[in-house]
Amino acid sequence: MKDFRTAIAEIISGKVSEISLEEIEETIEIPQDSRMGDFAFPCFKLAKALRKAPPKIAEDIAEAVSASGVFDRVEAVNAYVNIFLPKNEIAEETLKTVLDEGDVFGTSGKGAGKTVIVEYSSPNIAKPFHIGHIRSTVIGNSLYKIFQALGYDMIRINHLGDYGTQFGKMICAYRRWGNREDVEKEPIKTLLGYYTKFHEESENDPSLEAEARSIFVKLENGEPEEVKLWQWFRDESLKEFNRVYKMLGIEFDSYNGESFYSDKMPRIEKELEDKGLLIESRGAQVVDLEEYGLGTALIKKSDGSSLYITRDIAAAVYRKETYDFYKNVYVVASQQTLHFQQLFKILELMGYEDASSGSIHVPFGLVSLEDGTMSTRHGRVVFLEDVLTSAVEKTREIIAEKNPDADNIDEIAAQVGIGAVVFNELSNNRIKDYTFKWETVLNFDGETGPYVQYTHARCASLLRRAGDAVVSKAKDLTNIDYRYIASENAHELIKLIYAYPTYVELAGEKYEPSVVTRHIIDIAQAFNRFYHDEHIITDNEDEKVAKIALVLATKTVIKNGLALLGISAPERM
């Protein structure tokens, strides 16, 4: 597909040698108001180098761009050069590329030969898989799909929280108040009850904390009874987690959690000691990072037990040595920012510069309930499975009310209900905190997943109404008369479809799935304006074929965009 941005940059570069071609290309904007052009080049940064007023520079550049004869219209407006693309050419370029490439439209080979690891979801064993986990889970899954679309070799890791002092607490609670039958019947909720009771009881009996620490040390030392209980908690928890992953359509290449690195930590501790990084502080082993403004990193407690950061250092080194990653991406809440800053600095100080520089923390905002922050210690959580199930049930009710004769109601309800929850998570910038509200998550109106899915289904309906013969003609681009899709509505839609691959790349650069989400909302809205304002299934065969070609392209790009978010695109709703 012709790159109009690059074409503009090359023309401007021939006129202006004071800044590089890359800088020019990065400076080119897409105006919010289409009346100001399809692309715009602001001339402010050239004023000092050229010793001219920006409006005068804009006039000179506009003249050069106009003289190329490539564009429909070029205007100098104050300090901006506004450039209008030829409607027929961009329509032809866009439809030809989308209809030729189909499901791979928007993909590239940018990352060929490079491995990217994405660590996401990572729930704690024997604790609830609650609504707070959805952010890491669906952001990480979407980033995996985005980087895969950009051609990278991908590794998906679910770094399970299956180690740490909480298991000493869990085992202690189970031995005091638990029984096997209850755990097997409802593992997570039962274990959560034990965990909550432990914290309630320990407020009155501090000796429980010491008992729990002692149990965890035994677990680290491989004591058979403790290991057996730990493994059972892990197996039972994974059964419940996998039920949720199946609902979301999410898979992993590795479930290597914290426990996997327990036998790899002695090497790390020895390296830290050999390189003079490990010092003693009140009986504990720490790395002093004060000179970098990062405080002190606790590597080993005074009782000899390890911590998160010790295991994370071992994990990063193992991943670099095993996968030789280009990027090692951690999708973890913003609360852990200091932890990852310490981790990356320690890796650098240990001499693992490649592992440090290639590791990226992708933070996201926190989820709270309307009556406060969630707390597993106090048992106040919203289970993710309950959210997904409720979304599906609500969707089924809506479909049964509006279209009682619909086929495959259960399948559509699952696609749309779960899609609504996922889309809600990915529609806003990931760093924002938000409050979980049922009425917001399950609202199917406005800029939502169901709205975008319905637009896809509307496209599918138009194709069925047009018939196979017309669709076949539309796919054969020699039959397209582009005059019929030259209206402002059609042109706006075509430009958005044309820009889709750029937004996929931008989403990867920013580690931000909402870039894709917002763009496919824009495409859906533009298509619905086109649909409402123009007749598509007309008596004029040439007009119908041209418009159906645009419907085909719209349907394709919406499906591809939803796929990058981990959301299905129903053919009927």
Side-chain angles (χ1 to χ4, degrees):
M1 187 159 63
K2 183 174 180 179
D3 189 337
F4 288 100
R5 184 190 291 268
T6 300
I8 294 167
E10 287 172 349
I11 295 167
I12 295 174
S13 182
K15 179 74 176 175
V16 179
S17 59
E18 283 74 12
I19 60 174
S20 68
L21 176 67
E22 290 75 18
E23 281 184 278
I24 293 170
E25 196 164 345
E26 288 172 4
T27 305
I28 294 170
E29 302 173 352
I30 298 176
Q32 293 277 339
D33 185 347
S34 61
R35 291 175 299 180
M36 304 305 290
D38 300 315
F39 289 102
F41 180 73
C43 300
F44 303 103
K45 67 163 56 178
L46 291 171
K48 185 176 180 180
L50 297 178
R51 296 182 181 179
K52 288 183 183 179
K56 175 57 179 168
I57 298 170
E59 288 177 12
D60 294 343
I61 290 176
E63 187 178 332
V65 176
S66 182
S68 70
V70 174
F71 304 101
D72 197 43
R73 192 164 91 249
V74 183
E75 298 173 347
V77 179
N78 297 321
Y80 285 83
V81 179
N82 295 338
I83 301 161
F84 297 81
L85 301 178
K87 290 181 179 178
N88 280 12
E89 186 176 352
I90 191 172
E92 186 173 356
E93 284 282 338
T94 301
L95 295 190
K96 183 178 186 305
T97 304
V98 177
L99 299 187
D100 281 351
E101 295 184 359
D103 290 347
V104 299
F105 176 66
T107 64
S108 76
K110 178 182 178 181
K114 297 175 180 176
T115 297
V116 171
I117 293 170
V118 184
E119 176 194 305
Y120 57 105
S121 195
S122 308
N124 289 320
I125 292 299
K127 288 188 181 180
F129 197 4
H130 57 67
I131 188 62
H133 291 111
I134 194 172
R135 305 218 75 186
S136 174
T137 304
V138 301
I139 291 169
N141 188 54
S142 183
L143 288 178
Y144 152 71
K145 291 175 179 294
I146 288 166
F147 279 108
Q148 186 179 52
L150 294 172
Y152 292 91
D153 297 324
M154 299 303 300
I155 305 291
R156 300 163 289 184
I157 294 180
N158 192 339
H159 187 74
L160 294 171
D162 61 358
Y163 218 56
T165 54
Q166 71 267 30
F167 287 96
K169 296 175 182 179
M170 199 74 66
I171 292 170
C172 174
Y174 174 75
R175 284 173 172 165
R176 282 175 173 265
W177 309 294
N179 67 80
R180 190 175 188 88
E181 292 75 19
D182 289 344
V183 173
E184 288 178 341
K185 183 179 178 183
E186 211 169 15
I188 300 297
K189 290 183 179 179
T190 301
L191 292 169
L192 173 62
Y194 298 157
Y195 189 71
T196 303
K197 185 173 178 63
F198 176 90
H199 284 282
E200 290 170 351
E201 295 292 331
S202 64
E203 289 179 6
N204 300 317
D205 183 1
S207 69
L208 287 173
E209 293 283 355
E211 183 180 336
R213 285 193 295 271
S214 172
I215 290 171
F216 176 61
V217 171
K218 289 181 180 179
L219 177 61
E220 283 205 295
N221 292 333
E223 292 291 335
E225 284 303 313
E226 280 71 21
V227 171
K228 185 178 179 182
L229 277 175
W230 167 83
Q231 186 66 55
W232 178 49
F233 291 164
R234 190 181 194 276
D235 292 344
E236 292 297 323
S237 298
L238 271 175
K239 289 177 187 176
E240 292 216 14
F241 295 165
N242 284 328
R243 200 164 60 237
V244 178
Y245 292 135
K246 187 176 180 180
M247 293 176 78
L248 291 166
I250 289 176
E251 297 178 347
F252 295 93
D253 300 303
S254 167
Y255 284 88
N256 287 342
E258 293 179 68
S259 64
F260 179 78
Y261 301 100
S262 59
D263 64 350
K264 298 166 182 57
M265 287 187 292
R267 167 193 162 181
I268 297 301
E269 290 165 7
K270 186 174 188 307
E271 283 190 40
L272 286 167
E273 190 173 354
D274 290 346
K275 291 173 181 177
L277 295 171
L278 206 59
I279 60 175
E280 186 174 327
S281 175
R282 298 179 184 178
Q285 300 292 313
V286 304
V287 175
D288 185 357
L289 300 173
E290 290 288 355
E291 65 177 291
Y292 308 103
L294 298 175
T296 300
L298 183 59
I299 301 298
K300 183 179 280 191
K301 293 181 182 179
S302 56
D303 64 4
S305 60
S306 61
L307 289 101
Y308 292 117
I309 198 160
T310 324
R311 298 186 283 274
D312 277 351
I313 297 167
V317 172
Y318 173 84
R319 290 173 189 177
K320 186 63 183 177
E321 293 177 348
T322 304
Y323 303 112
D324 190 24
F325 59 75
Y326 169 67
K327 295 290 182 187
N328 177 29
V329 179
Y330 299 86
V331 185
V332 181
S334 56
Q335 281 179 314
Q336 299 300 318
T337 296
L338 176 60
H339 169 85
F340 284 103
Q341 289 173 336
Q342 290 181 334
L343 169 63
F344 302 157
K345 176 54 71 174
I346 291 171
L347 287 168
E348 178 190 327
L349 295 173
M350 291 177 72
Y352 295 107
E353 289 89 353
D354 287 349
S356 175
S357 62
S359 292
I360 308 291
H361 174 215
V362 176
F364 53 85
L366 299 180
V367 184
S368 61
L369 302 177
E370 290 184 84
D371 61 347
T373 306
M374 282 182 285
S375 170
T376 51
R377 288 191 177 194
H378 299 100
R380 193 172 72 241
V381 294
V382 175
F383 284 82
L384 180 52
E385 186 174 5
D386 292 343
V387 173
L388 298 176
T389 301
S390 295
V392 173
E393 289 173 354
K394 180 177 174 63
T395 306
R396 187 185 290 109
E397 290 170 9
I398 293 170
I399 295 171
E401 180 183 334
K402 293 186 176 182
N403 190 8
D405 299 324
D407 295 328
N408 304 322
I409 286 182
D410 288 345
E411 181 184 355
I412 296 170
Q415 291 177 337
V416 177
I418 292 171
V421 176
V422 174
F423 199 94
N424 178 69
E425 290 297 326
L426 299 178
S427 59
N428 295 306
N429 189 296
R430 59 176 159 74
I431 204 63
K432 290 183 179 178
D433 294 342
Y434 83 98
T435 301
F436 175 79
K437 298 178 182 178
W438 281 102
E439 60 270 26
T440 302
V441 173
L442 301 181
N443 179 9
F444 292 179
D445 298 320
E447 297 178 351
T448 64
Y451 171 79
V452 176
Q453 288 175 311
Y454 185 74
T455 305
H456 178 271
R458 171 172 277 169
C459 290
S461 174
L462 284 167
L463 299 180
R464 289 192 295 271
R465 284 172 56 199
D468 292 343
V470 170
V471 172
S472 294
K473 280 187 179 181
K475 289 178 179 178
D476 180 3
L477 292 168
T478 57
N479 294 309
I480 304 298
D481 187 336
Y482 292 98
R483 293 176 300 173
Y484 292 113
I485 48 175
S487 67
E488 283 307 311
N489 280 334
H491 183 54
E492 287 303 311
L493 174 58
I494 288 165
K495 285 193 299 179
L496 289 167
I497 295 171
Y498 167 83
Y500 171 75
T502 302
Y503 283 88
V504 175
E505 192 164 323
L506 183 63
E509 289 172 3
K510 292 187 170 185
Y511 303 93
E512 184 58 81
S514 70
V515 170
V516 173
T517 313
R518 304 307 305 177
H519 192 65
I520 60 172
I521 287 172
D522 290 344
I523 290 171
Q525 290 175 332
F527 175 80
N528 285 315
R529 285 192 293 271
F530 170 69
Y531 172 84
H532 285 296
D533 292 352
E534 302 193 25
H535 293 296
I536 295 173
I537 310 296
T538 66
D539 293 334
N540 182 324
E541 185 77 359
D542 291 340
E543 180 180 359
K544 180 164 55 177
V545 168
K547 289 180 174 178
I548 286 298
L550 182 50
V551 173
L552 271 167
T554 304
K555 179 177 181 289
T556 297
V557 77
I558 288 176
K559 179 183 178 183
N560 292 358
L562 286 171
L564 292 185
L565 305 174
I567 298 173
S568 300
E571 293 286 316
R572 300 173 188 268
M573 278 178 68

